[in-house]
Amino acid sequence: MTAPIEHPLKTTPLYAAHIAAGARMVPFAGYEMPVQYLDGVMKEHLWTREHAGLFDVSHMGQARLRGVAPLAAFEEVVPGDFINLKPGKQKYSVLLNRSGGIIDDLMAGRPDDDGLFVVVNGACKDNDFKIINDELAGQVKIDRLENRALLALQGPEAAAVFQAHAPQASSMVFMDVRPIHAFGQDLIVSRSGYTGEDGYEISIPAEAAVEVWNALLADARVKPIGLGARDSLRLEAGLPLYGHDLDETVSPVEGDLTFAINKNRREQRDFPGAARIVGELAAGPARVRVALKVLAGAPAREGAEIADLNGAVIGVVTSGGYSPCLKCGIALGFVTPVHAAVGGHLKVIVRGKAQAAEVVKTPFVPHRYVRKLPT
Amino acid sequence: MRFTKDHEWVEVDDNIATVGITAYAAEQLGDVVFVETPDVGKAVKAGDGFAVVESVKAASDVYAPVSGEVVEANGALGDAPDTVNAEPEAAGWFAKVRLSNPAEVEALMDRPAYEAYLQTL
C-alpha cells in the first residue's frame, strides 16, 4: 500500500515566538498556527474586546496586482466598484466563479500608486492567485508578497498602542490603507480587521516580523491572541468565514453580502455569474445567511440543522459556537428566505434536541470601527 | 480514584461510581461553557459516549468509563459549567452510575499509572 503524500506544514516567521509564548499549535490552512496561548480562548477573546489583541495572520495571501489598468481588470473577477476606489482606501469583495459562487472573500486596496494590494484567505491563496492570473492574463501581473508577514492588532486600545509607534496612522479611518514607515520598516497598514473592533492590519517584511511583534507585545495593553479567539471574535462580529459560511455554491446575495455588489456593477452586469446574482437581487435567493441566537441549551455548531416551529428542517448552521460576551450560543446559518426575518423564532437541532433560537441582526456584538476621526 | 486513557475518572462508593473528567482533560479543553449530563435512569455501557462537554471552540464527548445505570446527574453544572475547570476531580463531577460490572473498575488505571500515562502524551 502506498502511504498518503504528507504535505509538511509551513510556518510563519513568528513560529518560534508563538512557541516561546506557550502557544498550542495546530494545522491551519497548511500552516502550523497558534490556536491559543496560555490564557486560553475565553480570556484571549475578552482581552481583545477590552484591551488589544495581537494576531499572527501571516498565513494569509498577500499580493500586488500590477498592470496598465489593474482596477478595471480586477472588476472582471469581482462584483465591486474598483474603478472608482479612491487612493488610500480598501474594499471588501468576493472572487466569483462563472456560476456566481464565491471562490474566496478578500480585501483589495490602493495604499499607493503601485497597483492593487490584495489580501486573501490562507487556505485559498494558491487557487485564488491562479484564477486571477488565468482570468486576467495579459492585463495584470500578480506578484505574491511571500516575503511579508501580516499582523492584526485589534481592540479598543489597539489604535493608541499602534499610534505610539506610528503617529501617521492616527489620521486613518476604517478601511483606509497606506504605506507607513515605522519600526524602521516599510509597512502597508490598513485600519480594519476581523474582530469587529477598531484596529490595524500590518504587513511587514518577514525578516522584521519578530521585532515588530515583540515591540507591540512590550506594551502592557497587548496580548497575543490565537486562532480560537479570532474565530469567536469574528462570529460575534457577524462576519462570515470562508469555507464554512461561504463556498463556491454560495452567491454574495445568499451570503448576505449584497453590499459588496455595487450599483453600477449591477447595472453593467459584467461580473462572473451576473445573470444569477442580478436575478437573485430581483427575485430573492433560494436561501439566505442569517444570524441566530440560541435561547437555551448547548451552542449550535457547524452542521446543526435549523428547523421551523413545526419541526420541518429549513436550514443548516454553517458556523456557530459560544459567545463569551453574550454568554450564549450564537450561529450563522442558511435558511429559506421565508424564515429569515429578524425576530423570528426557529429551532436548532443539537444532538437530537430541538432548542429555541431567534433570528437576530448582525453584528451580535456592536462593531466599534472608527469611521470618523474625533474632532 | 481510577482513570481511563480518555481522561475520565471514577470513584466508587458502595457500588455507585461517581464519574468526571480529569484535571488534565479540563486543562486541555479550556474554559468549559456547557455540559450535557446523561439522563437519570439511562443504561450506559463502558466506552459509550454518555456526556458532552463544550468549550468556546468545540464540543467533546465524555465516555462512560464503566457500565451501569445513571442514578444521579450533577445539575449544578447547568448554571456553573466552569466548576469543571475549577474542581474537575471533585465538585465538577458529571454523573453517578450504579455499577453493573464492578470488575470494570479494577481494569482502570490507578493514579500512578495514569500519571505515567500522561507522561507519554
Side-chain angles (χ1 to χ4, degrees), chain A residues 229-261:
Chain A
R230 181 170 159 85
D231 189 52
S232 53
L233 288 158
R234 72 90 198 163
L235 185 60
E236 283 186 344
L239 302 171
L241 174 62
Y242 193 82
H244 300 264
D245 308 307
L246 307 175
D247 63 34
E248 291 237 20
T249 71
V250 175
S251 77
V253 182
E254 292 176 328
D256 194 23
L257 302 172
T258 55
F259 71 90
I261 315 163

Side-chain angles (χ1 to χ4, degrees), chain A residues 69-91:
Chain A
L71 302 176
F74 192 56
E75 288 198 353
E76 292 184 22
V77 291
V78 298
D81 175 5
F82 278 87
I83 289 176
N84 294 306
L85 181 66
K86 294 192 176 81
K89 296 302 289 189
Q90 71 175 13
K91 220 175 151 71

